[in-house]
Amino acid sequence: MKVAVWDTYVTKKDGNVMHFDIIAPQEIRDPNIIYGYGKDYLKTKAQDGQALTSKECSFCHIETLRPQWEEEINKKGYFILEMENC
């Protein structure tokens, strides 16, 4: 399976910037679905309500599914790869 990686930078309520990737099946091309995944994730980090649009989140590249992402993608439809300030 191939997945799309969406590079995401969201300003947190404290002013720091979170950097994470939203990883979803490559067939999902609607940015609004991807943004919805990101907003669901932000809720889990008490950052709901923060802006997540094309300014904060953009398609980066396609890559091969990694085994550590597969279970969550099968369950939720996406995987969040936390990178900075998450």
Side-chain angles (χ1 to χ4, degrees):
M1 173 195 275
K2 296 286 186 180
V3 292
V5 178
W6 294 73
D7 201 25
T8 310
Y9 295 86
V10 172
T11 302
K12 294 167 58 172
K13 293 176 182 179
D14 67 5
N16 288 317
V17 176
M18 298 174 76
H19 177 205
F20 58 93
D21 285 342
I22 302 170
I23 300 168
Q26 70 174 349
E27 295 80 24
I28 300 175
R29 298 178 188 265
D30 184 345
N32 291 315
I33 293 172
I34 300 298
Y35 303 155
Y37 293 158
K39 289 176 182 180
D40 287 345
Y41 168 70
L42 290 174
K43 288 178 189 173
T44 71
K45 298 295 186 173
Q47 298 299 317
D48 45 316
Q50 297 304 97
L52 203 161
T53 66
S54 60
K55 181 180 176 191
E56 293 80 25
C57 179
S58 60
F59 172 77
C60 186
H61 63 277
I62 299 287
E63 69 177 71
T64 302
L65 175 68
R66 296 184 188 174
Q68 63 267 36
W69 304 339
E70 189 169 12
E71 182 179 344
E72 199 161 335
I73 289 173
N74 288 336
K75 189 185 316 180
K76 296 187 337 187
Y78 66 95
F79 180 85
I80 299 294
L81 180 61
E82 296 179 335
M83 299 173 89
E84 297 176 83
N85 297 317
C86 295

